[in-house]
Amino acid sequence: MKHTNRLMIGAVAAFGLSLTAPVLAQQTITVSTWGGPNHGINTIVWPTWKAWIEEATEGRVTVEVVHDMGPPAAQMEIVADGIADASWIFHGHMSGRFELTQLPEFPTFEAFSSEAASAAYWRTYEEYLAQAEEHRGVDVMAMGVHGPGQIFTRDQVDSLDQLSGKRVRVGGGVMSDLATAMQVSGVALPPTGVYEAASQGVIDGAMLTLEGLRSFRVAEVLPHTLTVDGGFYRGSFAIVMNPMFWDQVSPEDREAIEAVSGEDLSRLFGYMMDAMDERGVAFAEEQGNTFTEASDEDIERLREVTDELIAEWNDAVQSRGIDTEAALEHFREQLALATEGESIADRVVRQ
């Protein structure tokens, strides 16, 4: 009888503890996204990062993606102000604040994947660029680049001379500088405005990524593409986090989240861009679009222009306190090493 009573008392005590013990709620990273629902950032990057985080934290932290919290140029402030916990930013949207991030945008005249370039960019950011604190107010979780920017035109173009005087869409940064050097009349437009502007004859062409052939229907209105190995330019991105978010999670979970971010998340971003470029080219080929490689003569001309642009960039960012020549050399060395590295492909989750 006494033994039975002790069991009953123990059971009641345990039940009481279960009612009063604190239950740790699952933490959610609210991600602001400005890409369309079918953009690879939403179908590849965020679902995969969510799966990685949930596995790494044993389900204690998850990710929720929210659309249309603000325009692309406002994402940095949205995260810094705590409206969202994380987002992806395009550095070219904030001209003047980000200068060092032009480093991976210059032409290389060599074909390479955006995945490898993004991994190399992350390594260069950690080694050199982070010291300048251009991302002050947020924590950088990944760095990335989009695919090779090429030139799309209404009429077939076989040389840079044929572009002289044409009205071509540009988006800022290195591509605008290149357009000026090529005596092209640059027209500032977001990618979403290219289809309408081209169909109405406002522009004769556009500097854009290959994925835009499909996602922005560029192949339908600008059916000819002039290409350069590695692209005429690249574009620089970052995935950023509000520093105050870490106050909500344990040091253990922070370490776990950071372990599946950094270079892995950078590679994932680049992999996504590669996948979208492949879809864009396939779509354009189905439309009967033409692809013309720039001549050796034009490549030499572009090399001279690029050298001039890099020299101007070095002068412009001297005040940031970074050895940009060493940083650029490091990026190119890491690009070669990252190309030989293991792809992130087998770890990707698709939605």
Side-chain angles (χ1 to χ4, degrees):
M1 181 70 178
K2 291 181 180 179
H3 177 68
T4 302
N5 286 341
R6 284 197 299 270
L7 287 176
M8 291 180 64
I9 292 170
V12 170
F15 179 71
L17 285 174
S18 70
L19 292 177
T20 58
V23 178
L24 297 177
Q26 185 182 53
Q27 299 294 333
T28 299
I29 301 173
T30 301
V31 173
S32 168
T33 191
W34 46 271
N38 295 322
H39 193 286
I41 193 76
N42 300 315
T43 62
I44 296 176
V45 175
W46 301 138
T48 300
W49 197 37
K50 175 182 179 179
W52 289 353
I53 288 173
E54 289 178 346
E55 180 180 6
T57 64
E58 299 180 336
R60 292 184 296 274
V61 184
T62 188
V63 170
E64 180 184 6
V65 178
V66 181
H67 294 258
D68 302 322
M69 294 184 74
Q75 296 303 307
M76 184 83 168
E77 292 181 8
I78 286 172
V79 174
D81 292 343
I83 299 170
D85 298 316
S87 184
W88 60 307
I89 63 172
F90 176 58
H91 294 110
H93 286 150
M94 290 158 280
S95 178
R97 171 160 188 172
F98 294 102
E99 297 291 344
L100 292 169
T101 54
Q102 288 188 22
L103 180 143
E105 297 186 348
F106 296 108
T108 60
F109 308 103
E110 294 181 8
F112 54 85
S113 71
S114 296
E115 179 183 346
S118 296
Y121 192 16
W122 172 257
R123 297 174 190 177
T124 306
Y125 171 77
E126 282 202 304
E127 184 70 21
Y128 289 95
L129 308 186
Q131 304 168 30
E133 299 184 344
E134 287 189 326
H135 295 82
R136 57 191 175 279
V138 297
D139 288 344
V140 178
M141 307 302 293
M143 301 292 280
V145 298
H146 66 47
Q150 310 291 11
I151 299 178
F152 311 109
T153 55
R154 179 183 297 105
D155 302 319
Q156 186 162 341
V157 170
D158 299 315
S159 70
L160 296 181
D161 287 338
Q162 293 177 5
L163 289 170
S164 181
K166 290 190 179 294
R167 296 161 298 174
V168 176
R169 176 267 173 183
V170 295
V174 169
M175 78 172 92
S176 295
D177 295 334
L178 278 170
T180 300
M182 292 186 296
Q183 298 182 333
V184 166
S185 179
V187 179
L189 281 174
T192 51
V194 170
Y195 179 88
E196 182 178 0
S199 61
Q200 294 180 355
V202 176
I203 57 175
D204 304 306
M207 298 180 78
L208 205 62
T209 58
L210 293 168
E211 62 101 359
L213 288 166
R214 178 176 181 266
S215 58
F216 302 118
R217 299 172 60 194
V218 172
E220 299 174 23
V221 290
L222 301 173
H224 303 285
T225 303
L226 184 65
T227 68
V228 168
D229 282 348
F232 284 87
Y233 68 95
R234 295 270 174 158
S236 171
F237 295 80
I239 293 176
V240 297
M241 180 90 80
N242 184 301
M244 292 184 292
F245 174 78
W246 302 120
D247 295 337
Q248 304 173 38
V249 300
S250 66
E252 176 189 5
D253 285 339
R254 173 172 184 167
E255 183 177 353
I257 294 168
E258 289 177 336
V260 294
S261 302
E263 183 169 331
D264 282 356
L265 185 55
S266 300
R267 274 193 175 273
L268 176 63
F269 185 91
Y271 171 88
M272 174 271 293
M273 287 295 185
D274 289 331
M276 292 188 65
D277 279 350
E278 290 175 6
R279 296 173 193 169
V281 171
F283 177 77
E285 290 176 342
E286 290 172 3
Q287 305 293 315
N289 285 198
T290 67
F291 292 82
T292 304
E293 294 183 9
S295 67
D296 291 342
E297 182 181 354
D298 281 339
I299 294 297
E300 284 307 308
R301 178 180 166 189
L302 282 170
R303 286 185 188 277
E304 293 176 2
V305 170
T306 299
D307 289 343
E308 292 173 1
L309 292 179
I310 291 175
E312 292 173 2
W313 172 71
N314 279 330
D315 291 341
V317 298
Q318 277 188 351
S319 62
R320 308 269 166 143
I322 303 298
D323 185 343
T324 50
E325 291 184 2
L328 188 57
E329 181 179 356
H330 183 78
F331 171 71
R332 291 173 175 171
E333 290 173 351
Q334 294 305 313
L335 180 55
L337 293 173
T339 299
E340 299 171 358
E342 185 176 352
S343 173
I344 209 79
D346 291 341
R347 297 173 58 197
V348 172
V349 174
R350 291 172 178 81
Q351 184 168 292

